[in-house]
Amino acid sequence: MIYLLILPAFIMLVLSFWSVQKSRFVLPLTSLLILFPAIKLFFLPKPYSIWGTYLVADDLSAYVMLVSSIVAIGVTLAMSTLGLHVEIKDRVYARFYRFFALFWIGLTLSIISNNMGIYWIGLETATLSTVYMIKTNSSLMARKEAWNYMIVGAIAISLILFGIILIYTSFKPLLGEEAMNFSALLKSAKEIKSPFLFEIGFSITTLGMFIKMGFFPMNLWLANIERASFYPVAALFSGVLESAVIIGFFRFSKIAQLVNPLHLFIFVFIYTILTIFIVSFLIYRSKDFMRLFSLSGVEHMALIALFWASGGVFAALLHFGAHAFLKPALFLSTGILESKGKYKIAGALRGYSGVKGKVFYFLTALFLLAIISVPPSPMFFSELYGFGAMVDIAKKHQHLLLMIGAIMLLLVFLSIIFYKFTEIYQSMKYEGVEQKRVVYGNEVLALVLFAFSLLALLTPWSFEFLRSIS
Amino acid sequence: MTSFLIGLFLATLITALFTMRLYRLILWYSLNSLSLALLAITIGFHIGDNSMIVSGFFTLLLKAIFIPYILKRISLRFSLSRQIEPNIPVYYSIMLIPALLVFTFYLAEPITNMLSSNANYVAISISSLFLSLLLMIEHKNIAPKIIGFLSIENSLFLLGTIATNGMPMLIELGIFFDLLMAIVVINLLFKQEEEVKE
């Protein structure tokens, strides 16, 4: 199975060294291959051992893997028409795929890993390969942001390793070298001899992950990087790389929940509320699509972490799936909305003609409304269930009034974001000068893929599957 | 011997913080890695852990010899500025570094209280982590920031060696691989900077 999962990436890596003219059309087709092993993995009985106790697929990893594969295919579809919107050299295009292949190997390892160390190695590989992807754009800002990402990413990833070492230290007297395995840690979490050491390790690891996702106090670096990159790279960051980070948070927090659920909840609750507070005002002030979508991505990741820590696994996973499909779809649409990289919000949703243009207009408008949780968006349901989980946890700990206050506060922050998106939507639709815009088939195909994936998330079968993930 | 090598590790890192020339900084990083490698080999022999001895030799070859050599080649090839003035003046650093060390010992006390052996060494490895972060922060030039990143990795390796008596071999090999990949990416970033300039 491991060969099947990694083979498409290896083919891509080899082809990227081939003649650029020949590989240009073959590379996007190769990327389609990543979906088949992900589907196969999804239907295999779980837990499925891929490589001993090191790589084990469970329902959670199979779900994240499938979602990430769909997003990656959408991104590569849109990548093929990037040269029609911005200036890009053929050589750079091949390099993008070379690093995309490395990125995919790292990502696969971190998603299916049952070992803290391998998870970290995969995440580091994925992070380092994305540094170069930022530089596919040769602008001064992209060059500066690639270095910034290298440094901030290095700090975040070092914090994660630091925390992992402390967690390993706290469990080693009990489990020996098995203390690296997530499943072994889960089984022995209640017998841990030094919970404080584990909690320190967990909070440092989580801090590293939160920095990587642009949480408080590092709210702007991710938005700057996504602004500086080409839009397919930004989509990859938002829809795929963050998946690898959040699955780590899911795994570590499951252990922390067994050690001390209240500590976990308080830590994540304070952190995410602070993040959403700052991000909502940053969104209110943002003046271009990329930053707007990027900061909204941070808000959604904070909500996912909050729902998960509250015990709302279903809500967190539904929100995660919706975010993973919606955000890259919106990032990819910026290629057309921002004509030739110049962002003018007023009138951006006007001037689309022909079937492709109309489908693009319809889907983009729909995605914009879905991201602010207008029903029947999956985000509407996930937020309802998520807030429900927060109320449930408050009832258990006799803090119901406090929690209702906190939810009200959260709703105020979310309404600021809602207001900003509605204002932008109206400005895009009713203001500005109408300009003729060109939409290419691949871009529409990518958006249709995301739209169908979102619809699939709303089916009773998906709800049932997500509920079965404990 | 272990105490001497850990002292040497910390001393080379502190000296790196005061260095104002790039090649000297690379040399201090190399010596820092050398003391780390010798430490892993010594502890490995002491506790009879072959995998730690192997990772000690890897550290020696990779971090004490290969990476410093590559960094020097990169700096020559891309004509990096060899004058690396820190943002924090030396007289402030003289006060800041001991304060950071004392603060870390105080901060790490709850952790070190829980460890049966090598408690002070763990505090030293955490303080070296902070000092490496300081190295990254105090310079504007990119080369010292890269060495700061590599020093963070050294500090984490020290923590892994001291606190856990070594991480599993597979993980350490994976970390070495990632380090090599980081060097490749850094080289590519510099290469592209040069292409843009041309």
Side-chain angles (χ1 to χ4, degrees), chain A residues 287-289 292-293 330 333-339 342-353 357 360-362 364-365 368 423-439:
Chain A
K287 289 181 176 65
D288 66 274
F289 292 116
L292 188 75
F293 298 151
L330 285 172
S333 63
T334 54
I336 300 147
L337 293 174
E338 294 185 354
S339 44
K342 285 174 187 152
Y343 41 90
K344 276 184 195 156
I345 288 174
L349 268 182
R350 297 171 69 183
Y352 297 98
S353 55
F360 172 82
Y361 159 74
F362 175 71
T364 308
L368 270 169
E423 189 203 10
I424 279 177
Y425 177 75
Q426 287 179 333
S427 169
M428 286 163 85
K429 202 174 168 193
Y430 303 111
E431 291 172 9
V433 187
E434 191 170 312
Q435 280 179 325
K436 190 172 163 39
R437 291 165 197 272
V438 187
V439 183

Side-chain angles (χ1 to χ4, degrees), chain A residues 54-322:
Chain A
Y54 294 113
L55 302 177
V56 179
D58 54 8
D59 283 333
L60 177 65
S61 53
Y63 170 63
V64 176
M65 195 73 214
L66 187 65
V67 169
S68 304
S69 308
I70 295 169
V71 176
I73 288 169
V75 169
T76 48
L77 271 174
M79 184 74 195
S80 54
T81 50
L82 176 67
L84 300 169
H85 292 289
V86 290
E87 261 183 56
I88 182 166
K89 288 177 189 161
D90 281 350
R91 199 177 44 185
V92 176
Y93 185 79
R95 277 188 196 164
F96 168 84
Y97 274 99
R98 197 170 302 156
F99 280 87
F100 177 79
L102 287 172
F103 169 77
W104 193 254
I105 294 170
L107 186 96
T108 308
L109 281 180
S110 56
I111 291 176
I112 57 175
S113 162
N114 183 38
N115 183 296
M116 291 192 291
I118 295 179
Y119 167 75
W120 185 84
I121 292 164
L123 194 62
E124 169 85 328
T125 310
T127 305
L128 286 172
S129 44
T130 40
V131 171
Y132 191 78
M133 285 190 204
I134 301 168
K135 272 221 165 180
T136 44
N137 187 346
S138 58
S139 69
L140 186 69
M141 190 186 175
R143 278 152 55 202
K144 190 173 148 273
E145 290 305 329
W147 282 113
N148 276 351
Y149 180 56
M150 178 88 199
I151 289 156
V152 181
I155 293 173
I157 215 94
S158 303
L159 284 172
I160 296 173
L161 183 61
F162 182 27
I164 287 176
I165 294 171
L166 292 182
I167 293 172
Y168 181 61
T169 312
S170 68
F171 274 98
K172 201 179 178 187
L174 198 69
L175 298 168
E177 285 209 352
E178 282 291 294
M180 271 284 166
N181 280 8
F182 284 120
S183 52
L185 295 180
L186 261 176
K187 272 183 202 154
S188 321
K190 287 190 174 160
E191 298 152 37
I192 187 172
K193 300 223 166 41
S194 43
F196 181 71
L197 189 58
F198 167 80
E199 284 185 322
I200 296 260
F202 169 75
S203 42
I204 293 171
T205 304
T206 310
L207 186 67
M209 289 176 191
F210 283 176
I211 288 177
K212 264 193 87 65
M213 292 192 285
F215 282 20
F216 171 82
M218 312 285 279
N219 295 108
L220 279 171
W221 75 278
L222 194 62
N224 288 343
I225 282 165
E226 289 179 340
R227 173 71 268 171
S229 319
F230 283 135
Y231 57 87
V233 178
L236 211 61
F237 265 95
S238 183
V240 187
L241 184 61
E242 287 189 3
S243 309
V245 184
I246 199 83
I247 196 173
F249 171 75
F250 289 164
R251 297 216 183 279
F252 285 106
S253 58
K254 265 169 108 177
I255 307 162
Q257 210 144 31
L258 293 173
V259 174
N260 193 329
L262 197 60
H263 283 186
L264 167 75
F265 177 71
I266 293 170
F267 175 71
V268 176
F269 181 75
I270 294 172
Y271 214 110
T272 47
I273 294 263
L274 264 174
T275 302
I276 294 170
F277 166 69
I278 291 179
V279 161
S280 59
F281 289 101
L282 286 174
I283 287 178
Y284 186 74
R285 301 269 302 155
S286 63
K287 289 181 176 65
D288 66 274
F289 292 116
M290 279 283 198
R291 278 182 213 278
L292 188 75
F293 298 151
S294 177
L295 289 165
S296 147
V298 176
E299 171 232 331
H300 287 298
M301 293 316 267
L303 281 176
I304 294 167
L306 181 61
F307 295 160
W308 181 272
S310 312
V313 174
F314 167 73
L317 292 177
L318 185 64
H319 206 88
F320 162 79

Side-chain angles (χ1 to χ4, degrees), chain A residues 7-74:
Chain A
L7 188 69
F10 269 111
I11 296 173
M12 233 182 278
L13 192 68
V14 173
L15 285 178
S16 71
F17 288 98
W18 200 29
S19 150
V20 177
Q21 288 303 324
K22 286 176 190 164
S23 62
R24 198 185 164 96
F25 300 101
V26 186
L27 279 167
L29 291 175
T30 324
S31 69
L32 294 175
L33 294 174
I34 59 180
L35 188 63
F36 300 112
I39 292 174
K40 192 179 175 195
L41 193 69
F42 191 76
F43 289 106
L44 282 171
K46 311 285 178 339
Y48 179 80
S49 168
I50 297 168
W51 181 36
T53 55
Y54 294 113
L55 302 177
V56 179
D58 54 8
D59 283 333
L60 177 65
S61 53
Y63 170 63
V64 176
M65 195 73 214
L66 187 65
V67 169
S68 304
S69 308
I70 295 169
V71 176
I73 288 169

